[in-house]
Amino acid sequence: FGRDRVGILAHSWGTVPGILYAERQPQKLYAYVGVGQVADVPESEKRSYDWALRQAKARHVAKAISELEKLGPPPRASAPVFTPRDWMERLGGSFHGDMGYMTLVVRSLGQPETNWRDLVAFQSSPAYSNPMLMTEFSNFVIDDRPHTYAVPIFLLSGRYDRQSEASVAHGFFNRIVAPRKAFVWFENSAHNPPFEEPKAFVDWLSNIVAPLGERGHGG
């Protein structure tokens, strides 16, 4: 990009390599932005499961109650640590309001920079990445790593995010030291603020993060 430093914007599980890069290569960054920051997967999944089961019972969703109770809370000896993402979506922990996975796909395909090949690649990606990444990811805990960063750290969470528990991300934020840091709540989002509140998200990036790059782009 012809610059000495760039900004990293990471989302969901991408915040794991993102925050590690910010820790190890701060001289190459002017800012790190983590959306739906992952900090402690086992703890996050315990809270996610508890929330999902409470929601299922409160809404009297018999199938969800049955499947979640059969699965049981993590850790699980013979099942993934993750609360089923289809139930997270249906119960409102992944998307808030009228946004959902298929809505996101349709809206994305309507944009000029995407086409059907992107959809095929997106649909096929779990088969490629999950076998290699999910075991390590499911055990990831950042709290035993350094909490001092030499680059501005911004963590963004949807108020209703239960897929990557916002409460866990906020607890991590409270324990870090950085030259500048902020935790930003998106009040009408769950796990996907860039798609659920695109204007507010872009406005925040433009007003807060972009000037940092303009002042220190080098090159």
Side-chain angles (χ1 to χ4, degrees):
F1 298 110
R3 292 173 176 253
D4 295 329
R5 293 188 293 165
V6 297
I8 284 184
L9 170 62
H11 179 226
S12 197
W13 79 262
T15 64
V16 173
I19 195 70
L20 295 179
Y21 192 88
E23 173 193 324
R24 299 171 184 177
Q25 302 287 344
Q27 74 281 2
K28 297 182 179 180
L29 302 180
Y30 63 78
Y32 168 77
V33 181
V35 184
Q37 180 68 48
V38 175
D40 184 330
V41 172
E43 179 60 28
S44 178
E45 288 304 317
K46 288 178 184 177
R47 299 187 196 184
S48 293
Y49 174 85
D50 289 344
W51 173 86
L53 186 57
R54 288 197 309 272
Q55 287 293 308
K57 290 180 176 179
R59 302 181 192 187
H60 307 289
V61 185
K63 186 177 181 181
I65 296 170
S66 175
E67 291 185 9
L68 290 168
E69 287 186 336
K70 182 178 180 180
L71 183 64
R76 308 177 184 103
S78 58
V81 68
F82 304 104
T83 302
R85 289 335 193 201
D86 56 344
W87 284 121
M88 291 299 298
E89 179 177 346
R90 294 182 205 179
L91 295 170
S94 297
F95 295 95
H96 183 62
D98 62 352
M99 172 64 75
Y101 174 76
M102 289 309 301
T103 304
L104 176 59
V105 169
V106 171
R107 290 182 184 177
S108 297
L109 289 175
Q111 303 306 308
E113 66 268 26
T114 61
N115 57 49
W116 64 269
R117 294 182 183 85
D118 298 307
L119 177 60
V120 172
F122 183 67
Q123 293 283 66
S124 304
S125 62
Y128 173 80
S129 61
N130 286 2
M132 296 183 291
L133 297 174
M134 286 302 104
T135 299
E136 184 174 359
F137 176 64
S138 66
N139 296 312
F140 181 78
V141 179
I142 202 169
D143 283 350
D144 60 357
R145 301 177 185 275
H147 297 157
T148 299
Y149 298 88
V151 61
I153 302 289
F154 302 99
L155 302 187
L156 282 55
S157 284
R159 182 66 70 176
Y160 300 92
D161 188 357
R162 302 292 184 169
Q163 180 168 321
S164 179
E165 262 284 349
S167 59
V168 176
H170 194 265
F172 164 65
F173 171 81
N174 288 335
R175 293 188 290 272
I176 70 174
V177 176
R180 179 178 177 182
K181 70 174 190 174
F183 194 98
V184 183
W185 290 105
F186 283 79
E187 299 294 342
N188 296 300
S189 297
H191 188 56
N192 297 278
F195 316 119
E196 298 178 84
E197 297 182 71
K199 184 179 186 306
F201 185 81
V202 171
D203 285 348
W204 182 87
L205 285 177
S206 299
N207 293 330
I208 304 301
V209 178
L212 298 178
E214 292 167 1
R215 289 199 298 266
H217 62 81

